[in-house]
Structures are given as structure tokens and as C-alpha cells.
Amino acid sequence: MFNLLVWVPIIPLLGFLLLVFYGGRLAKGRGALIGVGSVGISALLVALIGFEFLQGSMAPYRLTLASWIVSGELSIPFGFYLDALSVTMLFVVTGVGFLIHLYAAEFMEEDAGYARFFAYMNLFVAAMLVLVLADNLMLLYLGWEGVGLGSYLLIGFWYQNPDNGYAARKAFVMTRVGDTALALGMFLLFTELHTLDIQSLLGRAQSQWSPGSLLPIVAAALLLGGAVGKSAQLPLQTWLPDAMAGPTPVSALIHAATMVTAGVYLIARTHALFELAPPVQYTVAGIGSITLLMAGCSALVQTDIKRILAYSTISQIGYMFLALGVGAWSAAIFHLLTHAFFKALLFLAAGAVIFSFHHEHDIFRMGGLRKAMPLAFWSFMIGSAALTALPFTSGYYSKHEILLAAYAASPLLWVAGCLGALITGIYSFRLVFVVFFGKPAQEIDKTIGGRMRIPLLLLSVLALCGGLLKIPLESVFPALSEQNPGHSDALVSIITLAAPILGVTIAVLFYLAGTYSAANFVNLQWARRINRLLLTGWGLDATYHFVLIRPFKILAALNKDDEVDKLYLGIAGLSLQLHRAASATQTGRIRWYASSMAWGAVVVLAIGLLS
């Protein structure tokens, strides 16, 4: 059964190739069948492989397909590695990915680029599957870059709008910054450890490097740079809210099941290296805690329904980084799993609202949709409850684990996590109350069909019960108690539970009951300034423009005549003149050549006698 693993990424890749070369000639139904069916077959194979793996000893399985690169000490195969971590990721990518594809078959049906859309989606899924299955860093990097290419194509899918093209380029360039750091980390690891096979590399690192020494710190820091870019964490998170330019199914796929979780997976997969670099691991926790608070605060003031969810994604990935930083590896992957369920549900529910509501994105132009769109309403209620980590939802179990592990590592990190949970409760139910309660602003113009309803129903069940699907990861990660022996008393558990409930209560008072007015508060002069700051994502784009882009443009303007090139043009001109001078001596006259030889001999003899 495990030999079928090779077909898991190949089938979506074949779907991509068929749609690229023949999609324009196919009817929409057949194009959707290829796009959705290819991911569905991969999901079925993963279910069969995963069931057999979980029923067995869960011993890692390695499948080598062919040799890829062989040069000296460098030997890189096309090889896949299956363990509990990769099985979890496969379930997320193919399972949630299939539901998103099925939803998109109806959502994108009227679009002229229907086949092209599914071609890009299939390419994206295939690249993500290669990333999570790779047994070596080079093959992982191939999938990593494939995901980057796919995200560029999908974010800029509606390329007729220049703003969409800008958002796609922004995502591509910002993630390339992190990718460069990851590539440098790979070069360093191969130079020092002479292998890129992940398991061999981690074993050699543990045997050859001592904890806290320079080499593992530098290597882990470079890998962290790659993870920060791909997972949209501080300081490279500003591309993700702009990525909302893509179709809603793209947002669900990128932000729930695939791309933004790649950085979390990378750190988890190389966790042994981060354990050798405690300063970098602490930095991971610090980045996560700061990012989850900054993104949560920005989500509080957004008015675009998709941008609220985008900042929510940044914040939830911050929780995963927090867990990784405190050594709660299993909790981070558990939250990755549950987050895929409730965040895909929220994006698809938002897409249903947008689809039925004149393609409107502004939540304050909606309202009263509770009765008009009951399925979308209950999907939002369930998804928001799980996002907020209310008791007995999937998000509660995973986030509670993270916060208790954070308390054991550092009470300050725990406080940040609890404050983030409170903020999450506010912005999540602010969105629900504004969109689905109050007076209807407009009538909906169309209703959703079965292909959009089925994913919403299934994801609602998973968002509620997904906490029961936790895959045992003890064979991959060390037990948390071995690293953070601390304790969690009853008061800590109560506060951890109460924080999100308090957030929901505040949202009720401001946006449902009307006890307090958020508008009056925002109209205060100092509050308006804070509101503008948060709306722009803490002004990071403006800062980058001032610190990086503007100086670069000034230098480019000063060098518009290519002053540096003049040096090389001068060297070329000097060479040309010397060539002409040497050519002038070639007269073709024998007497001139003979006399030149004689005078040359005299000069050589004179030098010899005088020296």
C-alpha cells in the first residue's frame, strides 16, 4: 500500500498538465472533473495509506523513486519520507484541499478562466505534497518554490486588475526574501554536515554540534528566515492581507491548508536543529507572540470580510510559532490541523456571502443575513467559535495545549497568548454580529448550490469535532514534559478558558446588544490615529517603503546613466585603443619586421648586460 505514495503528488500534477495543454478545448464540466477529481483521488490514496500507517507500528517509511543529483559528496534522490508528521500534513493538504476544490467548482463556474484556475490549483497542491513528503532539503526546496510560484499565479489570477498583479508580485518578492535565507541555510548545512537528507542531517547535527554553539544557531536562524517569509510572520507578514486579491477559494487554500503552514512544518520537521540553538528557538516564540498580538489588533478594525480573516490567519500562525518556540511541537501541529478546519470553513462561508451578496466585501454594507443565509450563518458561528477557542470546539483543545505549554515556559508568553485569545474573541464575533445580525442592508441576489454546501457542512463538523482527530506524534517529537517540566495550576487553566469568553462578551456588548458604541470610541482623536495605524497593519508597508524602496529608487535615479558601467566601458575602450596600436605595427613590410627584431635584440642584450 505504501508504494502508492508516489501517486499522491503525481496525480494532481497530471491534472495540471492536462488542464494546461487541453483545458481550453474541454467543456467546463470536464475541466472541473479533472481539477477536482485529481485532488479527490489523492485524498482517497492518502486515506488508504494513512489508515494502514496508523493501524500499524507507525514506523517511518522511505520510498526512493530515482536519483536526481549526484556530484562528489552530493547525492540527492527523488525520495519520499512518511511518518506521523507527514501523514498529518497529507490529511490536511488533500482532505481540506479537496473540499476547497469542490467548492471552487461552483464558485468559479462563471469565470472565463475556469480551466486555468484549476490548473493553477492542481499545481499548487502538487507542490505542497512534494514539500511535505520530501526526505531531503533539496526536494523540499523544490516543493517550497513550487508553492511560491503557485501562490503568485493564484493571487494574481484576475490579472486584468493591476492591483491584483501588484499583490501577486508583492507576495512573490517578500516570500523570496525568506527563501533566500532558507537556501543559504541549506548551503551551510551541506558544507558542514555533508548531507541534505533530513534524517541523516539531524542525526549528524546532534552528534557533531553542541547545544548553543555558533553553527547550529546560524543554521537555525537561516531556516527561521525561510519559515517567517512563507508563514507570514513578523517582519515579513504584510504580503498576506494583500493576497486577498485572489478568488476566495484561493484564500482558503493558501491560508488554511497549505502555504502559510509550510513554515510551521519546516521548523517542526527540523526541530532537532532548533533544540541545538536555544536563542533561535526563543526567538521563534517571541516572533509568534508579537505577531499574534499585532495581527489580532489589526483584525479588530478591518472592514473587508476577507482581510479580517487574513489577519486572523497571521495571528493563528503566530500561536503555532509560539508553540514551536516553547518546545510544544505536537501542540503546534495539532493547532495546524484544527486551524485548517475552521479557517477553511470561515473563508468558504465568507465566499458564500460574497457570492450571494453582489460580490460585496465591506461588512458594514451587509447585515441581517442570519435568516437569508442560514448555512453561511451557522458556518460562521461554528468557525468563529473554534477560532476563538470556545470550549468543546476543535480550536479549544489545540490552543489550550499551546497556552498551558507557554505558561510552563514563560508566564509572559502565556499572558501574550491569553491577551491574543481575548482579542480573537472580539474580532471574530464582531464579524459575525455585523454581518448576520441587525437590519438587512440589501437583498441577496443568488443562492449557493450543492457543491458549495457540502464542503461547508463537512468543515462545520470538522471544526466542531476535529479535536478528536489528533494523530499521535510521539514517534516524531520528544515529549513536552522532558523539556518544560513546569506545572499549570487551576487558576491558570481558568484564566486561559476565560480569556476568549471575555472577548466574546465584549463583542456582544459593542456589536450585538449595543450597550457601548464602537463608533463613538473610534471618533475620539487619539483613537482615530490608532485606528489608522491598525488599518494599515501597523504601518509596516509605509516603513518598508521609506526605509527600503524609497532609497533604492533614489539610488536608481542617481544611477540612471549607469555610472558603474562607465568603468567597464572605459576598460573596454582602453583595450580597443591598445588593440589598434598593436595592429598599426602590422605593416606587412619585411624590412620593418627585421629592423624591429634587431632593435628588440639590442634592447634585450642591453638589459641583460646592465642588470
Side-chain angles (χ1 to χ4, degrees):
M1 181 64 71
F2 289 164
N3 289 330
L4 295 175
L5 192 64
V6 63
W7 293 102
V8 172
I10 286 180
I11 290 175
L13 183 61
L14 290 175
F16 160 73
L17 294 174
L18 285 173
L19 289 168
V20 164
F21 290 108
Y22 301 105
R25 308 174 195 173
L26 297 174
K28 282 190 173 182
R30 293 185 177 180
L33 181 63
I34 294 173
V36 179
S38 60
V39 179
I41 294 172
S42 287
L44 179 61
L45 290 176
V46 167
L48 295 173
I49 294 168
F51 179 78
E52 182 172 337
F53 180 85
L54 295 173
Q55 291 297 109
S57 63
M58 294 199 297
Y61 173 77
R62 190 184 293 267
L63 177 64
T64 301
L65 306 176
S67 181
W68 181 17
I69 301 173
V70 178
S71 177
E73 294 181 338
L74 180 63
S75 178
I76 300 175
F78 277 105
F80 292 157
Y81 185 80
L82 188 71
D83 64 358
L85 175 58
S86 52
V87 165
T88 303
M89 295 299 296
L90 288 176
F91 279 134
V92 170
V93 175
T94 60
V96 178
F98 168 69
L99 294 177
I100 294 170
H101 274 70
L102 179 61
Y103 177 98
E106 181 178 341
F107 187 90
M108 298 295 294
E109 195 166 26
E110 297 179 4
D111 197 281
Y114 196 62
R116 178 169 59 90
F117 174 80
F118 279 108
Y120 294 165
M121 292 277 277
N122 279 189
L123 173 64
F124 190 92
V125 170
M128 189 67 192
L129 291 171
V130 169
L131 190 159
V132 301
L133 283 172
D135 70 349
N136 63 80
L137 285 178
M138 185 63 77
L139 188 58
L140 183 149
Y141 194 74
L142 177 67
W144 190 274
E145 291 300 309
V147 168
L149 172 62
S151 68
Y152 169 77
L153 295 172
L154 288 168
I155 294 168
F157 178 76
W158 288 320
Y159 59 86
Q160 297 87 349
N161 186 338
D163 291 339
N164 296 345
Y166 172 78
R169 292 193 302 274
K170 181 178 180 180
F172 192 80
V173 171
M174 291 198 74
T175 53
R176 290 295 78 71
V177 174
D179 297 353
T180 303
L182 175 58
L184 293 174
M186 289 169 51
F187 298 152
L188 173 63
L189 289 168
F190 177 74
T191 301
E192 296 297 327
L193 301 175
H194 310 292
T195 184
L196 287 176
D197 179 86
I198 296 174
Q199 303 306 315
S200 300
L201 184 148
L202 297 179
R204 294 183 187 183
Q206 288 176 311
S207 62
Q208 296 180 24
W209 291 343
S210 59
S213 56
L214 179 62
L215 285 174
I217 288 176
V218 175
L222 290 170
L223 296 187
L224 174 59
V228 162
K230 197 68 79 181
S231 289
Q233 295 294 284
L234 189 71
L236 299 177
Q237 79 274 33
T238 61
W239 66 267
L240 195 142
D242 290 348
M244 296 299 97
T248 300
V250 172
S251 303
L253 189 65
I254 290 177
H255 297 167
T258 52
M259 181 171 171
V260 293
T261 61
V264 177
Y265 171 78
L266 175 66
I267 296 176
R269 176 58 75 194
T270 57
H271 67 278
L273 183 61
F274 282 83
E275 289 174 344
L276 295 173
V280 180
Q281 192 172 348
Y282 299 150
T283 302
V284 174
I287 288 174
S289 59
I290 295 171
T291 304
L292 71 88
L293 289 173
M294 290 179 65
C297 290
S298 290
L300 285 171
V301 299
Q302 302 299 318
T303 58
D304 185 309
I305 188 170
K306 288 174 65 177
R307 286 183 76 88
I308 295 171
L309 297 178
Y311 278 108
S312 164
T313 297
I314 299 173
S315 181
Q316 296 307 303
I317 300 293
Y319 276 103
M320 298 175 207
F321 268 62
L322 172 59
L324 295 170
V326 300
W329 314 105
S330 296
I333 300 303
F334 187 24
H335 195 56
L336 185 155
L337 176 67
T338 60
H339 174 262
F341 299 148
F342 62 71
K343 187 52 61 66
L345 174 63
L346 286 168
F347 267 113
L348 297 188
V353 173
I354 294 168
F355 181 82
S356 303
F357 206 70
H358 316 283
H359 293 277
E360 180 61 66
H361 284 229
D362 190 336
I363 62 173
F364 290 102
R365 294 181 181 177
M366 302 175 185
L369 297 181
R370 183 174 75 261
K371 295 180 180 178
M373 302 187 68
L375 179 58
F377 166 66
W378 285 110
S379 297
F380 254 103
M381 287 293 290
I382 293 170
S384 297
L387 171 62
T388 306
L390 295 182
F392 310 115
T393 62
S394 61
Y396 165 76
Y397 297 104
S398 56
K399 191 178 287 188
H400 201 70
E401 278 191 26
I402 292 173
L403 292 176
L404 294 182
Y407 179 79
S410 166
L412 184 60
L413 294 175
W414 170 74
V415 169
C418 288
L419 182 58
L422 184 149
I423 293 171
T424 303
I426 298 174
Y427 70 69
S428 298
F429 282 87
R430 165 184 179 260
L431 173 58
V432 171
F433 296 147
V434 170
V435 172
F436 293 100
F437 290 81
K439 296 180 180 179
Q442 309 177 50
E443 295 293 329
I444 61 173
D445 60 353
K446 53 185 171 181
T447 59
I448 61 175
R451 286 172 295 176
M452 293 175 67
R453 290 177 180 274
I454 292 172
L456 289 174
L457 291 170
L458 292 176
L459 287 169
S460 295
V461 173
L462 290 171
L464 280 175
C465 308
L468 305 176
L469 300 178
K470 185 178 180 181
I471 295 176
L473 295 168
E474 293 80 6
S475 60
V476 181
F477 303 122
L480 180 62
S481 59
E482 296 176 7
Q483 303 167 65
N484 298 313
H487 67 281
S488 57
D489 55 29
L491 180 60
V492 171
S493 296
I494 291 171
I495 295 174
T496 302
L497 176 63
I501 297 175
L502 178 59
V504 176
T505 304
I506 293 172
V508 169
L509 294 175
F510 274 88
Y511 299 101
L512 183 62
T515 306
Y516 302 101
S517 171
N520 292 340
F521 178 74
V522 172
N523 286 332
L524 298 175
Q525 185 174 359
W526 62 271
R528 283 202 300 270
R529 294 176 181 175
I530 296 176
N531 189 70
R532 284 197 298 269
L533 179 66
L534 298 181
L535 268 173
T536 60
W538 296 82
L540 285 176
D541 276 329
T543 302
Y544 294 151
H545 187 273
F546 181 78
V547 174
L548 298 174
I549 299 175
R550 187 177 176 186
F552 181 83
K553 287 184 174 180
I554 292 173
L555 290 174
L558 292 174
N559 192 41
K560 64 181 180 180
D561 296 324
D562 292 326
E563 300 297 334
V564 176
D565 281 354
K566 289 181 180 179
L567 172 62
Y568 300 104
L569 292 174
I571 295 173
L574 177 61
S575 298
L576 180 62
Q577 294 303 321
L578 292 174
H579 170 73
R580 288 174 177 171
S583 297
T585 64
Q586 306 301 308
T587 62
R589 299 176 181 175
I590 301 299
R591 291 181 180 178
W592 168 256
Y593 294 158
S595 61
S596 298
M597 291 174 64
W599 279 108
V602 169
V603 171
V604 171
L605 289 173
I607 293 173
L609 292 172
L610 295 175
S611 60

